[in-house]
Amino acid sequence: MSLVRQLLAALRMMLVLTLILGVLYPALVWGLGQGVASDRADGSLISRDGEVIGSSLIGQAITDPTLFHPRPSTSEYAGGTSGGSNLAESSQDQATAIAERRTAYADIAEGEPTADALTASASGLDPDISPEFAQAQVKRVASATGIDPARVSQLVEENTAGRQLGFLGEPRVNVLELNLALDDLR
């Protein structure tokens, strides 16, 4: 087989694979995403008064005392730089970060801090917190908003999602959705 024939065969194969893997397959995946779960495929955007205010899939920085706070982020909630710190539990930098978060915890919640209140998620953009962390913030939120603490606690329970498929993961509370429900309550 001549070199020219081999190059032409390789070029044809590259074009065919580019068409299949670069055009047809992505179009098929996009089409299935739109047909099966268009909300999630489009980023699970949440709008209020016609304006997109966030995504239920990405955590946001919240410092307002009248709202529930998310778990810490190593990326300052910047989607373009998501990722964990990759620090070992024995790392001095990790110990310092956890000590700082433990001190800050006293300003936003009560009781013993939960693991998700002291550690960032692997992506640094986790939109969920544990129901325990949310309940630990109830007193502060109720005091800051003037809403009965029992009603705020009930709101946390109403916005707690169980394990996926009944056995995967842990119960969780989406912070953005909880804060929107709290806003609706006010």
Side-chain angles (χ1 to χ4, degrees):
M1 202 178 212
S2 73
L3 179 61
V4 173
R5 285 186 61 189
Q6 286 180 346
L7 288 175
L8 288 174
L11 181 61
R12 280 193 307 269
M13 183 57 78
M14 183 187 76
L15 292 174
V16 167
L17 289 175
T18 298
L19 177 67
I20 292 171
L21 300 175
V23 178
L24 298 177
Y25 178 73
L28 175 69
V29 170
W30 177 83
L32 285 173
Q34 292 300 313
V36 174
S38 65
D39 178 55
R40 290 184 67 89
D42 290 336
S44 297
L45 301 177
I46 296 177
S47 298
R48 172 85 28 118
D49 300 325
E51 181 180 336
V52 174
I53 58 170
S55 167
S56 64
L57 301 175
I58 299 176
Q60 299 175 340
I62 298 172
T63 57
D64 186 338
T66 65
L67 298 173
F68 286 88
H69 291 205
R71 71 184 295 174
S73 171
T74 57
S75 65
E76 301 302 319
Y77 306 97
T81 59
S82 71
S85 66
N86 293 330
L87 296 175
E89 187 177 345
S90 60
S91 164
Q92 183 57 47
D93 289 343
Q94 179 78 312
T96 301
I98 288 176
E100 290 170 357
R101 292 170 184 157
R102 186 177 296 277
T103 301
Y105 179 86
D107 293 334
I108 65 166
E110 57 184 18
E112 188 63 28
T114 58
D116 60 325
L118 300 178
T119 58
S121 68
S123 70
L125 301 172
D126 194 345
D128 303 321
I129 59 175
S130 66
E132 296 79 17
F133 185 24
Q135 288 291 348
Q137 297 182 59
V138 164
K139 185 176 179 183
R140 172 188 52 83
V141 170
S143 176
T145 60
I147 300 172
D148 178 46
R151 181 62 185 111
V152 176
S153 180
Q154 180 184 6
L155 199 62
V156 169
E157 290 175 21
E158 291 169 0
N159 283 276
T160 297
R163 297 171 184 260
Q164 295 170 337
L165 302 176
F167 67 95
L168 293 175
E170 295 293 326
R172 64 210 175 282
V173 179
N174 185 286
V175 177
L176 178 58
E177 292 173 359
L178 176 60
N179 284 332
L180 289 173
L182 179 67
D183 194 42
D184 289 342
L185 193 61
R186 293 191 267 180

